[in-house]
Amino acid sequence: DAGVTQSPTHLIKTRGQQVTLRCSPKSGHDTVSWYQQALGQGPQFIFQYYEEEERQRGNFPDRFSGHQFPNYSSELNVNALLLGDSALYLCASSLEGRGNYEQYFGPGTRLTVT
Amino acid sequence: DAKTTQPPSMDCAEGRAANLPCNHSTISGNEYVYWYRQIHSQGPQYIIHGLKNNETNEMASLIITEDRKSSTLILPHATLRDTAVYYCIVRLSPYSTGTASKLTFGTGTRLQVTL
C-alpha cells in the first residue's frame, strides 16, 4: 500500500518564478492538506482540499494556490516566489468521508529560492 | 485550537523510558491531545491521541492528567531510531469535519536518544 508521495523531492527556483508541487495521497484517502515548514520551525498549515475544492486556508497570501483532481491527487502552486518561500513543503492526506481523520504525511518537497 | 507548551529539547539513554511532557492549560472539553514526531528530513508521523483516558498503542503511551491541562508521551524503551522532534497538538475531535482537521504545530521537543 503506497503512502503519500510527493514530487519533486528537491527544487531550486529564482525569485519571481512560479513553482508547482505535486502530491498523491495514500490509497483510499480523499482529503489533501498542504503545510509549509521553514527551517527549525514546525509545519504551518497552508490549505486543505476536499472534493476538489479548497475547504480551509491558513494565513498564506493568494500567491499560494492549489488544485485537487478527481483522483484526489493535488498540486500546490506558488507564484512570484520570494526568498522567504524557501522551505520544506509537506502534503498530508486523510480519509474524512468515513470518520478517520488521521493525517498521513509525505516526505516533502524541499524548495530553495535564490 | 488550544496552545501547547513543550520543552525545546530532551536527552534519553537508549533502552530507558523517554517521558515527554506537554502543557495545554487552555484545552477545551471537546479537544483531543495528539502527538506526532518528525524524524530528520521526513514528514511528521502520527503516534497517538487521546481525550481524557490514558492510551497505549504499539509505539507509545499517552498519560493525560485528570484536569487535562497537561499530558506525557512515554516511549517505554527508547532506541536511537526514536531520535526526532516530537510535537504535541491539541485539536477538535478526529470525527469532526472540515476546519477541525488541520493540525497546528508548535516547535516541539527535540529528543536525542544516546548510547
Side-chain angles (χ1 to χ4, degrees), chain A residues 6-7 11 18-23 32 34-36 46-47 49 57 60 63-69 74-79 88-91 109 111:
Chain A
Q6 293 186 243
S7 63
L11 201 54
Q18 178 265 343
V19 69
T20 298
L21 310 181
R22 295 176 176 82
C23 171
V32 173
W34 287 92
Y35 293 79
Q36 179 196 65
I46 303 176
F47 44 51
Y49 277 83
R57 189 179 187 90
F60 280 81
R63 297 187 297 109
F64 289 78
S65 63
H67 188 76
Q68 185 179 34
F69 299 93
S74 177
E75 289 182 348
L76 165 65
N77 301 293
V78 187
N79 294 322
L88 180 68
Y89 288 85
L90 295 160
C91 167
T109 294
L111 173 64

PDB file of all heavy atoms in Angstrom, chain A residues 6-7 11 18-23 32 34-36 46-47 49 57 60 63-69 74-79 88-91 109 111:
ATOM      1  N   GLN A   6       5.255  12.590  -2.961  1.00  0.00           N
ATOM      2  CA  GLN A   6       5.371  13.971  -3.399  1.00  0.00           C
ATOM      3  C   GLN A   6       6.476  14.088  -4.434  1.00  0.00           C
ATOM      4  O   GLN A   6       7.467  13.369  -4.378  1.00  0.00           O
ATOM      5  CB  GLN A   6       5.694  14.897  -2.219  1.00  0.00           C
ATOM      6  CG  GLN A   6       4.587  15.007  -1.202  1.00  0.00           C
ATOM      7  CD  GLN A   6       4.894  16.034  -0.125  1.00  0.00           C
ATOM      8  OE1 GLN A   6       5.016  15.704   1.046  1.00  0.00           O
ATOM      9  NE2 GLN A   6       5.009  17.288  -0.542  1.00  0.00           N
ATOM     10  N   SER A   7       6.280  15.010  -5.358  1.00  0.00           N
ATOM     11  CA  SER A   7       7.318  15.258  -6.356  1.00  0.00           C
ATOM     12  C   SER A   7       7.370  16.738  -6.708  1.00  0.00           C
ATOM     13  O   SER A   7       6.345  17.433  -6.627  1.00  0.00           O
ATOM     14  CB  SER A   7       7.048  14.436  -7.623  1.00  0.00           C
ATOM     15  OG  SER A   7       5.828  14.827  -8.224  1.00  0.00           O
ATOM     16  N   LEU A  11      13.938  21.144  -5.296  1.00  0.00           N
ATOM     17  CA  LEU A  11      13.680  22.087  -6.371  1.00  0.00           C
ATOM     18  C   LEU A  11      14.400  23.394  -6.056  1.00  0.00           C
ATOM     19  O   LEU A  11      14.347  23.865  -4.921  1.00  0.00           O
ATOM     20  CB  LEU A  11      12.175  22.338  -6.467  1.00  0.00           C
ATOM     21  CG  LEU A  11      11.542  22.879  -7.735  1.00  0.00           C
ATOM     22  CD1 LEU A  11      11.912  22.031  -8.936  1.00  0.00           C
ATOM     23  CD2 LEU A  11      10.031  22.909  -7.566  1.00  0.00           C
ATOM     24  N   GLN A  18       7.623  30.904 -10.796  1.00  0.00           N
ATOM     25  CA  GLN A  18       6.473  30.164 -10.309  1.00  0.00           C
ATOM     26  C   GLN A  18       6.864  28.701 -10.165  1.00  0.00           C
ATOM     27  O   GLN A  18       7.742  28.203 -10.870  1.00  0.00           O
ATOM     28  CB  GLN A  18       5.323  30.317 -11.305  1.00  0.00           C
ATOM     29  CG  GLN A  18       4.053  29.570 -10.963  1.00  0.00           C
ATOM     30  CD  GLN A  18       3.951  28.206 -11.626  1.00  0.00           C
ATOM     31  OE1 GLN A  18       4.664  27.920 -12.584  1.00  0.00           O
ATOM     32  NE2 GLN A  18       3.102  27.356 -11.107  1.00  0.00           N
ATOM     33  N   VAL A  19       6.212  28.005  -9.218  1.00  0.00           N
ATOM     34  CA  VAL A  19       6.545  26.607  -8.989  1.00  0.00           C
ATOM     35  C   VAL A  19       5.266  25.806  -8.753  1.00  0.00           C
ATOM     36  O   VAL A  19       4.265  26.330  -8.226  1.00  0.00           O
ATOM     37  CB  VAL A  19       7.495  26.467  -7.779  1.00  0.00           C
ATOM     38  CG1 VAL A  19       6.798  26.812  -6.471  1.00  0.00           C
ATOM     39  CG2 VAL A  19       8.090  25.072  -7.709  1.00  0.00           C
ATOM     40  N   THR A  20       5.288  24.563  -9.185  1.00  0.00           N
ATOM     41  CA  THR A  20       4.183  23.638  -8.938  1.00  0.00           C
ATOM     42  C   THR A  20       4.707  22.387  -8.262  1.00  0.00           C
ATOM     43  O   THR A  20       5.641  21.762  -8.763  1.00  0.00           O
ATOM     44  CB  THR A  20       3.477  23.253 -10.248  1.00  0.00           C
ATOM     45  OG1 THR A  20       2.909  24.418 -10.847  1.00  0.00           O
ATOM     46  CG2 THR A  20       2.369  22.243  -9.987  1.00  0.00           C
ATOM     47  N   LEU A  21       4.128  22.056  -7.136  1.00  0.00           N
ATOM     48  CA  LEU A  21       4.489  20.851  -6.394  1.00  0.00           C
ATOM     49  C   LEU A  21       3.327  19.881  -6.453  1.00  0.00           C
ATOM     50  O   LEU A  21       2.162  20.299  -6.469  1.00  0.00           O
ATOM     51  CB  LEU A  21       4.803  21.202  -4.934  1.00  0.00           C
ATOM     52  CG  LEU A  21       5.782  22.360  -4.701  1.00  0.00           C
ATOM     53  CD1 LEU A  21       6.004  22.566  -3.211  1.00  0.00           C
ATOM     54  CD2 LEU A  21       7.086  22.121  -5.425  1.00  0.00           C
ATOM     55  N   ARG A  22       3.631  18.592  -6.454  1.00  0.00           N
ATOM     56  CA  ARG A  22       2.597  17.592  -6.643  1.00  0.00           C
ATOM     57  C   ARG A  22       2.533  16.602  -5.494  1.00  0.00           C
ATOM     58  O   ARG A  22       3.556  16.304  -4.864  1.00  0.00           O
ATOM     59  CB  ARG A  22       2.811  16.868  -7.965  1.00  0.00           C
ATOM     60  CG  ARG A  22       2.652  17.780  -9.171  1.00  0.00           C
ATOM     61  CD  ARG A  22       2.964  17.108 -10.479  1.00  0.00           C
ATOM     62  NE  ARG A  22       2.690  18.024 -11.609  1.00  0.00           N
ATOM     63  CZ  ARG A  22       3.520  18.968 -12.033  1.00  0.00           C
ATOM     64  NH1 ARG A  22       4.684  19.132 -11.442  1.00  0.00           N
ATOM     65  NH2 ARG A  22       3.170  19.739 -13.050  1.00  0.00           N
ATOM     66  N   CYS A  23       1.338  16.088  -5.270  1.00  0.00           N
ATOM     67  CA  CYS A  23       1.110  15.168  -4.154  1.00  0.00           C
ATOM     68  C   CYS A  23       0.098  14.099  -4.563  1.00  0.00           C
ATOM     69  O   CYS A  23      -0.957  14.416  -5.117  1.00  0.00           O
ATOM     70  CB  CYS A  23       0.586  15.939  -2.946  1.00  0.00           C
ATOM     71  SG  CYS A  23       0.013  14.902  -1.574  1.00  0.00           S
ATOM     72  N   VAL A  32      -6.649  16.239   1.026  1.00  0.00           N
ATOM     73  CA  VAL A  32      -5.231  16.590   0.989  1.00  0.00           C
ATOM     74  C   VAL A  32      -5.027  17.948   1.643  1.00  0.00           C
ATOM     75  O   VAL A  32      -5.744  18.905   1.357  1.00  0.00           O
ATOM     76  CB  VAL A  32      -4.712  16.641  -0.465  1.00  0.00           C
ATOM     77  CG1 VAL A  32      -3.287  17.179  -0.494  1.00  0.00           C
ATOM     78  CG2 VAL A  32      -4.759  15.256  -1.092  1.00  0.00           C
ATOM     79  N   TRP A  34      -1.912  20.823   2.736  1.00  0.00           N
ATOM     80  CA  TRP A  34      -0.543  21.254   2.453  1.00  0.00           C
ATOM     81  C   TRP A  34      -0.020  22.075   3.629  1.00  0.00           C
ATOM     82  O   TRP A  34      -0.748  22.893   4.210  1.00  0.00           O
ATOM     83  CB  TRP A  34      -0.490  22.107   1.191  1.00  0.00           C
ATOM     84  CG  TRP A  34      -0.666  21.337  -0.079  1.00  0.00           C
ATOM     85  CD1 TRP A  34      -1.839  21.090  -0.744  1.00  0.00           C
ATOM     86  CD2 TRP A  34       0.367  20.732  -0.856  1.00  0.00           C
ATOM     87  NE1 TRP A  34      -1.588  20.348  -1.885  1.00  0.00           N
ATOM     88  CE2 TRP A  34      -0.235  20.121  -1.976  1.00  0.00           C
ATOM     89  CE3 TRP A  34       1.756  20.637  -0.723  1.00  0.00           C
ATOM     90  CZ2 TRP A  34       0.489  19.436  -2.957  1.00  0.00           C
ATOM     91  CZ3 TRP A  34       2.484  19.960  -1.694  1.00  0.00           C
ATOM     92  CH2 TRP A  34       1.853  19.369  -2.793  1.00  0.00           C
ATOM     93  N   TYR A  35       1.262  21.848   3.941  1.00  0.00           N
ATOM     94  CA  TYR A  35       1.926  22.560   5.024  1.00  0.00           C
ATOM     95  C   TYR A  35       3.272  23.091   4.529  1.00  0.00           C
ATOM     96  O   TYR A  35       3.919  22.469   3.677  1.00  0.00           O
ATOM     97  CB  TYR A  35       2.181  21.632   6.216  1.00  0.00           C
ATOM     98  CG  TYR A  35       0.936  21.148   6.925  1.00  0.00           C
ATOM     99  CD1 TYR A  35       0.168  20.103   6.411  1.00  0.00           C
ATOM    100  CD2 TYR A  35       0.533  21.731   8.121  1.00  0.00           C
ATOM    101  CE1 TYR A  35      -0.977  19.664   7.066  1.00  0.00           C
ATOM    102  CE2 TYR A  35      -0.604  21.285   8.797  1.00  0.00           C
ATOM    103  CZ  TYR A  35      -1.344  20.255   8.255  1.00  0.00           C
ATOM    104  OH  TYR A  35      -2.476  19.817   8.923  1.00  0.00           O
ATOM    105  N   GLN A  36       3.676  24.208   5.100  1.00  0.00           N
ATOM    106  CA  GLN A  36       4.994  24.772   4.833  1.00  0.00           C
ATOM    107  C   GLN A  36       5.814  24.682   6.117  1.00  0.00           C
ATOM    108  O   GLN A  36       5.342  25.073   7.184  1.00  0.00           O
ATOM    109  CB  GLN A  36       4.884  26.243   4.410  1.00  0.00           C
ATOM    110  CG  GLN A  36       6.234  26.907   4.137  1.00  0.00           C
ATOM    111  CD  GLN A  36       6.108  28.430   4.103  1.00  0.00           C
ATOM    112  OE1 GLN A  36       5.801  29.078   5.102  1.00  0.00           O
ATOM    113  NE2 GLN A  36       6.346  29.011   2.936  1.00  0.00           N
ATOM    114  N   ILE A  46      -1.208  25.451   5.195  1.00  0.00           N
ATOM    115  CA  ILE A  46      -1.449  26.356   4.067  1.00  0.00           C
ATOM    116  C   ILE A  46      -2.916  26.289   3.671  1.00  0.00           C
ATOM    117  O   ILE A  46      -3.630  27.290   3.707  1.00  0.00           O
ATOM    118  CB  ILE A  46      -0.557  25.999   2.861  1.00  0.00           C
ATOM    119  CG1 ILE A  46       0.920  26.036   3.252  1.00  0.00           C
ATOM    120  CG2 ILE A  46      -0.840  26.969   1.700  1.00  0.00           C
ATOM    121  CD1 ILE A  46       1.855  25.588   2.132  1.00  0.00           C
ATOM    122  N   PHE A  47      -3.366  25.123   3.223  1.00  0.00           N
ATOM    123  CA  PHE A  47      -4.766  24.917   2.903  1.00  0.00           C
ATOM    124  C   PHE A  47      -5.081  23.445   2.787  1.00  0.00           C
ATOM    125  O   PHE A  47      -4.184  22.592   2.822  1.00  0.00           O
ATOM    126  CB  PHE A  47      -5.213  25.662   1.638  1.00  0.00           C
ATOM    127  CG  PHE A  47      -4.281  25.596   0.467  1.00  0.00           C
ATOM    128  CD1 PHE A  47      -3.782  24.390  -0.013  1.00  0.00           C
ATOM    129  CD2 PHE A  47      -3.914  26.767  -0.187  1.00  0.00           C
ATOM    130  CE1 PHE A  47      -2.941  24.355  -1.100  1.00  0.00           C
ATOM    131  CE2 PHE A  47      -3.076  26.735  -1.294  1.00  0.00           C
ATOM    132  CZ  PHE A  47      -2.584  25.537  -1.743  1.00  0.00           C
ATOM    133  N   TYR A  49      -7.776  20.557   0.705  1.00  0.00           N
ATOM    134  CA  TYR A  49      -8.686  20.294  -0.396  1.00  0.00           C
ATOM    135  C   TYR A  49      -9.500  19.033  -0.129  1.00  0.00           C
ATOM    136  O   TYR A  49      -8.972  18.001   0.310  1.00  0.00           O
ATOM    137  CB  TYR A  49      -7.918  20.144  -1.713  1.00  0.00           C
ATOM    138  CG  TYR A  49      -7.611  21.469  -2.331  1.00  0.00           C
ATOM    139  CD1 TYR A  49      -6.494  22.200  -1.923  1.00  0.00           C
ATOM    140  CD2 TYR A  49      -8.446  22.033  -3.284  1.00  0.00           C
ATOM    141  CE1 TYR A  49      -6.232  23.439  -2.465  1.00  0.00           C
ATOM    142  CE2 TYR A  49      -8.180  23.278  -3.836  1.00  0.00           C
ATOM    143  CZ  TYR A  49      -7.068  23.979  -3.414  1.00  0.00           C
ATOM    144  OH  TYR A  49      -6.810  25.208  -3.942  1.00  0.00           O
ATOM    145  N   ARG A  57      -8.230  27.491   4.707  1.00  0.00           N
ATOM    146  CA  ARG A  57      -6.977  28.125   4.339  1.00  0.00           C
ATOM    147  C   ARG A  57      -6.318  28.711   5.565  1.00  0.00           C
ATOM    148  O   ARG A  57      -6.975  29.294   6.428  1.00  0.00           O
ATOM    149  CB  ARG A  57      -7.230  29.230   3.307  1.00  0.00           C
ATOM    150  CG  ARG A  57      -5.972  29.803   2.700  1.00  0.00           C
ATOM    151  CD  ARG A  57      -6.312  30.868   1.668  1.00  0.00           C
ATOM    152  NE  ARG A  57      -5.122  31.317   0.966  1.00  0.00           N
ATOM    153  CZ  ARG A  57      -4.639  30.796  -0.150  1.00  0.00           C
ATOM    154  NH1 ARG A  57      -5.285  29.799  -0.719  1.00  0.00           N
ATOM    155  NH2 ARG A  57      -3.550  31.263  -0.707  1.00  0.00           N
ATOM    156  N   PHE A  60      -1.820  32.410   4.582  1.00  0.00           N
ATOM    157  CA  PHE A  60      -0.895  32.491   3.462  1.00  0.00           C
ATOM    158  C   PHE A  60      -1.496  33.371   2.377  1.00  0.00           C
ATOM    159  O   PHE A  60      -2.705  33.359   2.168  1.00  0.00           O
ATOM    160  CB  PHE A  60      -0.608  31.088   2.908  1.00  0.00           C
ATOM    161  CG  PHE A  60       0.408  30.329   3.729  1.00  0.00           C
ATOM    162  CD1 PHE A  60       0.036  29.674   4.885  1.00  0.00           C
ATOM    163  CD2 PHE A  60       1.738  30.301   3.343  1.00  0.00           C
ATOM    164  CE1 PHE A  60       0.971  29.009   5.657  1.00  0.00           C
ATOM    165  CE2 PHE A  60       2.682  29.629   4.098  1.00  0.00           C
ATOM    166  CZ  PHE A  60       2.297  28.983   5.256  1.00  0.00           C
ATOM    167  N   ARG A  63      -0.726  34.246  -3.407  1.00  0.00           N
ATOM    168  CA  ARG A  63       0.308  33.674  -4.287  1.00  0.00           C
ATOM    169  C   ARG A  63       0.332  32.147  -4.178  1.00  0.00           C
ATOM    170  O   ARG A  63       0.829  31.467  -5.068  1.00  0.00           O
ATOM    171  CB  ARG A  63       1.694  34.208  -3.906  1.00  0.00           C
ATOM    172  CG  ARG A  63       1.888  35.686  -4.060  1.00  0.00           C
ATOM    173  CD  ARG A  63       3.340  36.074  -3.822  1.00  0.00           C
ATOM    174  NE  ARG A  63       3.807  35.790  -2.468  1.00  0.00           N
ATOM    175  CZ  ARG A  63       4.676  34.832  -2.173  1.00  0.00           C
ATOM    176  NH1 ARG A  63       5.177  34.048  -3.120  1.00  0.00           N
ATOM    177  NH2 ARG A  63       5.068  34.634  -0.913  1.00  0.00           N
ATOM    178  N   PHE A  64      -0.182  31.667  -3.077  1.00  0.00           N
ATOM    179  CA  PHE A  64      -0.260  30.220  -2.848  1.00  0.00           C
ATOM    180  C   PHE A  64      -1.647  29.755  -3.293  1.00  0.00           C
ATOM    181  O   PHE A  64      -2.673  30.243  -2.779  1.00  0.00           O
ATOM    182  CB  PHE A  64      -0.045  29.890  -1.375  1.00  0.00           C
ATOM    183  CG  PHE A  64       1.363  30.099  -0.905  1.00  0.00           C
ATOM    184  CD1 PHE A  64       1.838  31.371  -0.632  1.00  0.00           C
ATOM    185  CD2 PHE A  64       2.217  29.016  -0.725  1.00  0.00           C
ATOM    186  CE1 PHE A  64       3.143  31.574  -0.197  1.00  0.00           C
ATOM    187  CE2 PHE A  64       3.517  29.205  -0.288  1.00  0.00           C
ATOM    188  CZ  PHE A  64       3.981  30.482  -0.023  1.00  0.00           C
ATOM    189  N   SER A  65      -1.671  28.857  -4.244  1.00  0.00           N
ATOM    190  CA  SER A  65      -2.947  28.316  -4.703  1.00  0.00           C
ATOM    191  C   SER A  65      -2.789  26.820  -4.915  1.00  0.00           C
ATOM    192  O   SER A  65      -1.677  26.296  -4.939  1.00  0.00           O
ATOM    193  CB  SER A  65      -3.387  28.995  -5.996  1.00  0.00           C
ATOM    194  OG  SER A  65      -2.452  28.730  -7.027  1.00  0.00           O
ATOM    195  N   GLY A  66      -3.918  26.173  -5.060  1.00  0.00           N
ATOM    196  CA  GLY A  66      -3.849  24.733  -5.211  1.00  0.00           C
ATOM    197  C   GLY A  66      -4.961  24.192  -6.069  1.00  0.00           C
ATOM    198  O   GLY A  66      -5.818  24.932  -6.579  1.00  0.00           O
ATOM    199  N   HIS A  67      -4.894  22.899  -6.201  1.00  0.00           N
ATOM    200  CA  HIS A  67      -5.909  22.217  -7.003  1.00  0.00           C
ATOM    201  C   HIS A  67      -5.971  20.771  -6.555  1.00  0.00           C
ATOM    202  O   HIS A  67      -4.949  20.190  -6.169  1.00  0.00           O
ATOM    203  CB  HIS A  67      -5.531  22.290  -8.487  1.00  0.00           C
ATOM    204  CG  HIS A  67      -6.610  21.773  -9.399  1.00  0.00           C
ATOM    205  ND1 HIS A  67      -7.731  22.495  -9.692  1.00  0.00           N
ATOM    206  CD2 HIS A  67      -6.725  20.601 -10.051  1.00  0.00           C
ATOM    207  CE1 HIS A  67      -8.498  21.789 -10.502  1.00  0.00           C
ATOM    208  NE2 HIS A  67      -7.905  20.635 -10.733  1.00  0.00           N
ATOM    209  N   GLN A  68      -7.165  20.208  -6.605  1.00  0.00           N
ATOM    210  CA  GLN A  68      -7.301  18.779  -6.362  1.00  0.00           C
ATOM    211  C   GLN A  68      -7.997  18.163  -7.563  1.00  0.00           C
ATOM    212  O   GLN A  68      -8.982  18.705  -8.077  1.00  0.00           O
ATOM    213  CB  GLN A  68      -8.096  18.490  -5.090  1.00  0.00           C
ATOM    214  CG  GLN A  68      -8.139  16.993  -4.759  1.00  0.00           C
ATOM    215  CD  GLN A  68      -8.909  16.671  -3.496  1.00  0.00           C
ATOM    216  OE1 GLN A  68      -9.900  17.331  -3.178  1.00  0.00           O
ATOM    217  NE2 GLN A  68      -8.470  15.657  -2.758  1.00  0.00           N
ATOM    218  N   PHE A  69      -7.509  17.053  -8.005  1.00  0.00           N
ATOM    219  CA  PHE A  69      -8.019  16.382  -9.188  1.00  0.00           C
ATOM    220  C   PHE A  69      -9.030  15.291  -8.799  1.00  0.00           C
ATOM    221  O   PHE A  69      -9.091  14.895  -7.632  1.00  0.00           O
ATOM    222  CB  PHE A  69      -6.862  15.785  -9.981  1.00  0.00           C
ATOM    223  CG  PHE A  69      -5.888  16.826 -10.451  1.00  0.00           C
ATOM    224  CD1 PHE A  69      -4.764  17.147  -9.698  1.00  0.00           C
ATOM    225  CD2 PHE A  69      -6.100  17.522 -11.633  1.00  0.00           C
ATOM    226  CE1 PHE A  69      -3.872  18.123 -10.117  1.00  0.00           C
ATOM    227  CE2 PHE A  69      -5.216  18.500 -12.060  1.00  0.00           C
ATOM    228  CZ  PHE A  69      -4.106  18.804 -11.296  1.00  0.00           C
ATOM    229  N   SER A  74      -3.158  16.158  -5.782  1.00  0.00           N
ATOM    230  CA  SER A  74      -3.246  17.604  -5.586  1.00  0.00           C
ATOM    231  C   SER A  74      -1.974  18.294  -6.042  1.00  0.00           C
ATOM    232  O   SER A  74      -0.899  17.684  -6.115  1.00  0.00           O
ATOM    233  CB  SER A  74      -3.483  17.903  -4.103  1.00  0.00           C
ATOM    234  OG  SER A  74      -3.515  19.290  -3.836  1.00  0.00           O
ATOM    235  N   GLU A  75      -2.104  19.560  -6.374  1.00  0.00           N
ATOM    236  CA  GLU A  75      -0.973  20.416  -6.714  1.00  0.00           C
ATOM    237  C   GLU A  75      -0.995  21.651  -5.830  1.00  0.00           C
ATOM    238  O   GLU A  75      -2.058  22.164  -5.483  1.00  0.00           O
ATOM    239  CB  GLU A  75      -1.042  20.864  -8.176  1.00  0.00           C
ATOM    240  CG  GLU A  75      -0.754  19.776  -9.173  1.00  0.00           C
ATOM    241  CD  GLU A  75      -0.782  20.295 -10.608  1.00  0.00           C
ATOM    242  OE1 GLU A  75      -1.241  21.429 -10.836  1.00  0.00           O
ATOM    243  OE2 GLU A  75      -0.359  19.535 -11.505  1.00  0.00           O
ATOM    244  N   LEU A  76       0.204  22.102  -5.500  1.00  0.00           N
ATOM    245  CA  LEU A  76       0.385  23.381  -4.824  1.00  0.00           C
ATOM    246  C   LEU A  76       1.158  24.277  -5.774  1.00  0.00           C
ATOM    247  O   LEU A  76       2.215  23.886  -6.263  1.00  0.00           O
ATOM    248  CB  LEU A  76       1.172  23.188  -3.527  1.00  0.00           C
ATOM    249  CG  LEU A  76       1.755  24.439  -2.877  1.00  0.00           C
ATOM    250  CD1 LEU A  76       0.650  25.369  -2.396  1.00  0.00           C
ATOM    251  CD2 LEU A  76       2.659  24.060  -1.703  1.00  0.00           C
ATOM    252  N   ASN A  77       0.627  25.449  -6.056  1.00  0.00           N
ATOM    253  CA  ASN A  77       1.281  26.417  -6.914  1.00  0.00           C
ATOM    254  C   ASN A  77       1.670  27.653  -6.108  1.00  0.00           C
ATOM    255  O   ASN A  77       0.877  28.136  -5.295  1.00  0.00           O
ATOM    256  CB  ASN A  77       0.338  26.854  -8.042  1.00  0.00           C
ATOM    257  CG  ASN A  77      -0.102  25.686  -8.899  1.00  0.00           C
ATOM    258  OD1 ASN A  77       0.701  25.089  -9.599  1.00  0.00           O
ATOM    259  ND2 ASN A  77      -1.381  25.340  -8.821  1.00  0.00           N
ATOM    260  N   VAL A  78       2.873  28.115  -6.331  1.00  0.00           N
ATOM    261  CA  VAL A  78       3.319  29.350  -5.695  1.00  0.00           C
ATOM    262  C   VAL A  78       3.822  30.276  -6.787  1.00  0.00           C
ATOM    263  O   VAL A  78       4.726  29.914  -7.552  1.00  0.00           O
ATOM    264  CB  VAL A  78       4.423  29.111  -4.654  1.00  0.00           C
ATOM    265  CG1 VAL A  78       4.721  30.417  -3.906  1.00  0.00           C
ATOM    266  CG2 VAL A  78       4.027  28.019  -3.668  1.00  0.00           C
ATOM    267  N   ASN A  79       3.236  31.450  -6.877  1.00  0.00           N
ATOM    268  CA  ASN A  79       3.635  32.451  -7.867  1.00  0.00           C
ATOM    269  C   ASN A  79       4.555  33.497  -7.247  1.00  0.00           C
ATOM    270  O   ASN A  79       4.571  33.687  -6.029  1.00  0.00           O
ATOM    271  CB  ASN A  79       2.383  33.158  -8.416  1.00  0.00           C
ATOM    272  CG  ASN A  79       1.499  32.217  -9.201  1.00  0.00           C
ATOM    273  OD1 ASN A  79       2.002  31.354  -9.926  1.00  0.00           O
ATOM    274  ND2 ASN A  79       0.194  32.365  -9.053  1.00  0.00           N
ATOM    275  N   LEU A  88      10.451  23.434   3.395  1.00  0.00           N
ATOM    276  CA  LEU A  88      10.006  22.077   3.080  1.00  0.00           C
ATOM    277  C   LEU A  88       8.487  22.129   2.966  1.00  0.00           C
ATOM    278  O   LEU A  88       7.811  22.588   3.894  1.00  0.00           O
ATOM    279  CB  LEU A  88      10.427  21.109   4.179  1.00  0.00           C
ATOM    280  CG  LEU A  88      10.025  19.635   4.004  1.00  0.00           C
ATOM    281  CD1 LEU A  88      10.780  19.004   2.830  1.00  0.00           C
ATOM    282  CD2 LEU A  88      10.299  18.851   5.288  1.00  0.00           C
ATOM    283  N   TYR A  89       7.959  21.691   1.843  1.00  0.00           N
ATOM    284  CA  TYR A  89       6.515  21.687   1.648  1.00  0.00           C
ATOM    285  C   TYR A  89       6.008  20.264   1.806  1.00  0.00           C
ATOM    286  O   TYR A  89       6.406  19.361   1.082  1.00  0.00           O
ATOM    287  CB  TYR A  89       6.163  22.263   0.276  1.00  0.00           C
ATOM    288  CG  TYR A  89       6.385  23.760   0.256  1.00  0.00           C
ATOM    289  CD1 TYR A  89       7.642  24.287  -0.019  1.00  0.00           C
ATOM    290  CD2 TYR A  89       5.350  24.635   0.567  1.00  0.00           C
ATOM    291  CE1 TYR A  89       7.856  25.658   0.011  1.00  0.00           C
ATOM    292  CE2 TYR A  89       5.554  26.004   0.587  1.00  0.00           C
ATOM    293  CZ  TYR A  89       6.814  26.507   0.316  1.00  0.00           C
ATOM    294  OH  TYR A  89       7.028  27.871   0.354  1.00  0.00           O
ATOM    295  N   LEU A  90       5.116  20.119   2.753  1.00  0.00           N
ATOM    296  CA  LEU A  90       4.594  18.803   3.124  1.00  0.00           C
ATOM    297  C   LEU A  90       3.148  18.655   2.683  1.00  0.00           C
ATOM    298  O   LEU A  90       2.352  19.585   2.819  1.00  0.00           O
ATOM    299  CB  LEU A  90       4.674  18.618   4.637  1.00  0.00           C
ATOM    300  CG  LEU A  90       6.081  18.575   5.237  1.00  0.00           C
ATOM    301  CD1 LEU A  90       6.042  18.883   6.714  1.00  0.00           C
ATOM    302  CD2 LEU A  90       6.713  17.214   4.982  1.00  0.00           C
ATOM    303  N   CYS A  91       2.839  17.495   2.198  1.00  0.00           N
ATOM    304  CA  CYS A  91       1.482  17.147   1.830  1.00  0.00           C
ATOM    305  C   CYS A  91       1.015  16.072   2.810  1.00  0.00           C
ATOM    306  O   CYS A  91       1.790  15.172   3.166  1.00  0.00           O
ATOM    307  CB  CYS A  91       1.469  16.626   0.399  1.00  0.00           C
ATOM    308  SG  CYS A  91      -0.052  15.808  -0.093  1.00  0.00           S
ATOM    309  N   THR A 109       8.679  18.208  -0.251  1.00  0.00           N
ATOM    310  CA  THR A 109       9.486  18.777  -1.338  1.00  0.00           C
ATOM    311  C   THR A 109      10.289  19.930  -0.754  1.00  0.00           C
ATOM    312  O   THR A 109       9.711  20.854  -0.171  1.00  0.00           O
ATOM    313  CB  THR A 109       8.610  19.297  -2.485  1.00  0.00           C
ATOM    314  OG1 THR A 109       7.946  18.219  -3.119  1.00  0.00           O
ATOM    315  CG2 THR A 109       9.462  20.048  -3.507  1.00  0.00           C
ATOM    316  N   LEU A 111      12.057  23.163  -1.287  1.00  0.00           N
ATOM    317  CA  LEU A 111      12.132  24.259  -2.255  1.00  0.00           C
ATOM    318  C   LEU A 111      13.157  25.281  -1.785  1.00  0.00           C
ATOM    319  O   LEU A 111      13.088  25.771  -0.658  1.00  0.00           O
ATOM    320  CB  LEU A 111      10.772  24.941  -2.403  1.00  0.00           C
ATOM    321  CG  LEU A 111      10.738  26.218  -3.251  1.00  0.00           C
ATOM    322  CD1 LEU A 111      11.094  25.908  -4.707  1.00  0.00           C
ATOM    323  CD2 LEU A 111       9.384  26.895  -3.170  1.00  0.00           C
TER     324      LEU A 111
END
